[in-house]
Amino acid sequence: MEVRRGWATGLDPVDEALIDESLAFVRDADADGVLGRLATGLTRRQRASVAAHCAMAHAAVLVFPASLERLIAGFRAEGFAVAEPVPSVVVRDRLSRRHGVAASALDVRIVHVHVPAPDRRPDLVELFVLEVPPGSELTPIAVRERVERNESHLALEVRGPDEVVLRGLRDLLVEQGGLVADGGGFNPLEDCTVLYFLNPASPASPASSGVGERSVEGDHYRRLELRAGGRHLDILAEHPARATDDPAKRLLSLMTGAWTTQAIAVAAELGLADQLPATGTPAVPVPLGELADRLGVDPDGLARLLHYLATLGLVTPSEDSYRLTEPGELLRRDARHSLHPLALLYGGPFYQSFGALAHAVRTGSEAFKKLFGQGHFDYFAEHPALAELFDSAMAASAPMFEPVPGLVDLSDARVVVDVAGGNGELLSRFLNHAPHLRGILFERAHVLERARQRLADAGQSERCDLVAGDFTENVPTGGDVYLLSRILHDWDDEQCLTILRRCAAGIRHGARLLIVERLLTTDGTSSLAAAWDLHMLCNVGGRERTAEHYERLLTAAGFDLVSISDLPLDGSLLQARRRRQGQRDPA
């Protein structure tokens, strides 16, 4: 059956050929056909054995149309079912690393095209789409990617996967099939573990194609994606990603991380972002000379700072000046969820204390106390400007809190107690979400004074009691829901257990305890929690923990961990219930 190509209007011939072949391939292919194209080292019997456990999932290619809207309209006009495009963070970030372009400049979208099949469910072609209009600065990326075809892959779905089957498939593909492990991950939204493999001998590899070649003859699929339902962390740990960077370059980049921190902090201190327009707005950028005059800085020094910030993806060149990217906008003081105070804090006292990290590593004692003579909570309490900066910085993590009230059943709750709730940011969200609730904010006296105005501005003063106290000694009684948001990571296990037991003593049986923290991963995947764990060691004396670690502490204090939900910024919501007194810990 001939594939119709009305959707190809305006497409580069290479992109058209890639899509055309993918549409044709998924109509006829099965798992054995996928393996025959990519796992070329397998014998026919081995392919049949692997195929018995797998089904064809999709074919995927990266293309660069001038207009995504026109491409989708063309498919739909010819009867293809096309899902609404969604962002592809993974492909965007890979393109950013390969081409040295800020991720914010790469709006990569995923488009699922369902190919009609009369005798079975529709087959799927997955398009990664980056719009590249004529004359675009992104044209060199399109030219190179059309040659290298780094993102072209075929995907298999493992039927009824278990550890034995998945490990056997993985080992066979690598040891006999000629494929190279290329990393993987767990997608919590799909409850799916994905293993990536690369065919290093693919004719589409850069080693076998000259830059500028336009042909798509041969097999343009370079990679195999093995998808398995459920979480298979042990398999992921055995399936490392290839090292793609020059090791020395990678290490040098890491070693200059302190320069990045200071560059961002200086930009925040100068109020640089407040003087720059955002990308895509009609506002005219301020010329560099005038900008330097406004900020009272050296023009050449400012130009060099902005050039570095551009390599970080925080600003982008525009005429004789720069515009803010989306991440850069978060450095504006008036931005929603501004990170301006965090930039000052991390580039200020916490930056200084990290200079004494060796002391923390050698002794296990926080470097902040060695440098400033006392712990940071006490030190900030004696320095009001720093205390205000700290509270503002903590509020900057508000996006982590946004989903929390909606993840909790509050229908039978009447009183929410926020223990050490700072300026009341999270408690205020609960009161907004559920108008029938009353709140209690339990904090130190000097913090409550700042929270009072915050709650008044939100119109919640009449629904919230402010109670001064120390949660290491007791907590208010009478609540139905208790909040501990980013508190436990400030303390060692012994003090954590004390805090949890104080909560348990004041909480009735069946009442809920909600904990917001970042969780350390156990599968080697990237998480902000790893960096914050070192931050806790250096500046606070606490630690980040795994879910299992928190569960042990909760159990010992008289709580049962009920559920864990993902939050933005690598946060997690742990919901626990107070166990009935005298009830034995679960085995």
Side-chain angles (χ1 to χ4, degrees):
M1 175 180 177
E2 183 179 355
V3 179
R4 295 170 293 178
R5 300 179 182 174
W7 43 264
T9 303
L11 272 182
D12 182 276
V14 173
D15 289 347
E16 178 183 356
L18 290 173
I19 297 176
D20 191 35
E21 182 177 346
S22 296
L23 292 171
F25 181 77
V26 298
R27 281 195 174 97
D28 302 323
D30 55 14
D32 186 77
V34 170
L35 295 167
R37 296 186 74 150
L38 284 174
T40 53
L42 295 180
T43 65
R44 182 174 300 178
R45 179 174 295 181
Q46 288 171 331
R47 288 206 314 269
S49 178
V50 174
H53 294 282
C54 301
M56 173 73 182
H58 64 256
V61 291
L62 171 63
V63 294
F64 304 90
S67 168
L68 171 60
E69 183 178 358
R70 186 191 307 162
L71 178 67
I72 293 175
F75 275 117
R76 288 174 174 166
E78 295 197 3
F80 292 97
V82 183
E84 288 301 313
V86 296
S88 174
V89 175
V90 172
V91 173
R92 179 201 68 185
D93 289 349
R94 284 203 291 253
L95 287 174
S96 174
R97 289 192 296 270
R98 279 200 296 270
H99 299 276
V101 176
S104 57
L106 303 171
D107 185 16
V108 182
R109 299 281 165 161
I110 300 174
V111 177
H112 283 160
V113 180
H114 298 272
V115 183
D119 56 346
R120 62 183 190 276
R121 65 174 177 79
D123 296 304
L124 181 66
V125 170
E126 184 173 78
L127 301 180
F128 302 115
V129 180
L130 176 62
E131 285 186 333
V132 180
S136 168
E137 295 178 351
L138 301 178
T139 298
I141 295 178
V143 171
R144 177 177 160 189
E145 289 294 327
R146 286 179 180 129
V147 172
E148 297 181 1
R149 299 159 202 164
N150 295 291
E151 302 303 332
S152 295
H153 70 260
L154 299 172
L156 297 177
E157 190 83 30
V158 181
R159 299 189 182 100
D162 59 35
E163 294 293 324
V164 174
V165 169
L166 194 52
R167 182 172 280 107
L169 292 174
R170 184 256 176 210
D171 291 347
L172 190 59
L173 291 171
V174 171
E175 295 171 7
Q176 302 294 325
L179 299 179
V180 176
D182 197 19
F186 173 72
N187 184 336
L189 297 178
E190 297 180 347
D191 188 30
C192 178
T193 297
V194 181
L195 302 180
Y196 301 115
F197 302 83
L198 177 73
N199 181 349
S202 168
S205 66
S208 58
S209 298
V211 174
E213 291 183 12
R214 312 282 290 177
S215 172
V216 292
E217 293 180 1
D219 197 338
H220 64 265
Y221 300 111
R222 296 197 61 201
R223 299 166 60 239
L224 174 68
E225 180 179 296
L226 200 63
R227 301 169 57 85
R231 188 189 295 260
H232 303 280
L233 302 183
D234 290 343
I235 303 296
L236 282 173
E238 300 169 7
H239 197 77
R242 293 175 301 133
T244 56
D245 293 339
D246 179 319
K249 181 179 178 181
R250 172 65 174 155
L251 183 57
L252 280 172
S253 177
L254 293 172
M255 289 164 63
T256 59
W259 305 351
T260 298
T261 302
Q262 279 302 301
I264 295 172
V266 169
E269 181 182 340
L270 294 174
L272 178 59
D274 298 323
Q275 302 293 331
L276 296 177
T279 299
T281 63
V284 178
V286 180
L288 278 180
E290 182 181 342
L291 184 60
D293 289 341
R294 288 188 186 183
L295 299 175
V297 299
D298 175 67
D300 181 63
L302 177 62
R304 292 158 78 173
L305 173 63
L306 282 163
H307 178 76
Y308 182 57
L309 294 175
T311 69
L312 301 177
L314 299 180
V315 298
T316 186
S318 178
E319 302 171 13
D320 183 33
S321 188
Y322 289 82
R323 291 180 179 272
L324 295 170
T325 62
E326 188 174 357
E329 288 185 58
L330 294 174
L331 289 175
R332 294 180 63 95
R333 291 182 177 91
D334 61 355
R336 185 171 183 264
H337 303 321
S338 170
L339 297 183
H340 180 270
L342 268 179
L344 295 176
L345 189 66
Y346 291 163
F350 286 161
Y351 184 85
Q352 293 174 262
S353 59
F354 257 98
L357 176 62
H359 168 79
V361 173
R362 289 191 177 104
T363 67
S365 301
E366 60 261 44
F368 192 100
K369 182 179 291 186
K370 174 179 173 59
L371 198 65
F372 293 96
Q374 56 189 143
H376 96 268
F377 289 116
D378 293 333
Y379 184 81
F380 286 178
E382 294 180 5
H383 296 78
L386 280 178
E388 185 175 356
L389 177 64
F390 180 77
D391 287 345
S392 298
M394 295 305 98
S397 298
M400 185 187 294
F401 302 151
E402 285 185 346
V404 172
L407 295 171
V408 184
D409 180 6
L410 299 169
S411 57
D412 61 348
R414 293 296 176 266
V415 178
V416 176
V417 181
D418 194 353
V419 178
N423 69 352
E425 174 73 31
L426 180 56
L427 180 58
S428 178
R429 292 178 182 275
F430 272 84
L431 298 180
N432 279 334
H433 180 79
H436 68 279
L437 290 177
R438 286 194 56 81
I440 297 175
L441 181 61
F442 186 61
E443 253 294 3
R444 294 159 293 165
H446 73 278
V447 177
L448 288 178
E449 289 308 310
R450 293 193 292 272
R452 191 182 308 278
Q453 187 60 50
R454 163 77 176 76
L455 293 166
D457 292 343
Q460 296 168 336
S461 297
E462 298 300 318
R463 297 173 56 203
C464 188
D465 298 324
L466 306 184
V467 179
D470 181 352
F471 58 75
T472 64
E473 297 178 359
N474 57 67
V475 300
T477 60
D480 303 296
V481 177
Y482 285 74
L483 311 178
L484 278 175
S485 176
R486 301 171 68 203
I487 301 301
L488 297 180
H489 73 165
D490 290 333
W491 306 94
D492 61 23
D493 281 3
E494 182 179 355
Q495 192 63 42
C496 261
L497 201 50
T498 297
I499 294 168
L500 289 172
R501 283 173 173 158
R502 293 289 183 269
C503 290
I507 297 178
R508 62 173 176 78
H509 159 65
R512 282 165 289 174
L513 176 65
L514 309 182
I515 298 171
V516 176
E517 294 288 359
R518 290 188 173 98
L519 298 180
L520 290 171
T521 62
T522 57
D523 60 356
T525 54
S526 176
S527 169
L528 290 173
W532 259 255
D533 188 38
L534 201 62
H535 171 49
M536 293 297 108
L537 169 66
C538 186
N539 288 304
V540 184
R543 67 187 311 134
E544 304 294 350
R545 297 172 173 86
T546 64
E548 292 76 16
H549 196 156
Y550 275 116
E551 185 170 20
R552 291 196 300 271
L553 292 172
L554 286 164
T555 299
F559 292 93
D560 293 325
L561 180 61
V562 176
S563 66
I564 300 176
S565 304
D566 291 334
L567 299 175
L569 300 177
D570 286 350
S572 294
L573 171 65
L574 292 79
Q575 298 195 45
R577 284 192 181 274
R578 177 71 171 95
R579 195 181 311 121
R580 187 187 303 276
Q581 291 187 0
Q583 181 180 345
R584 298 182 62 183
D585 294 347

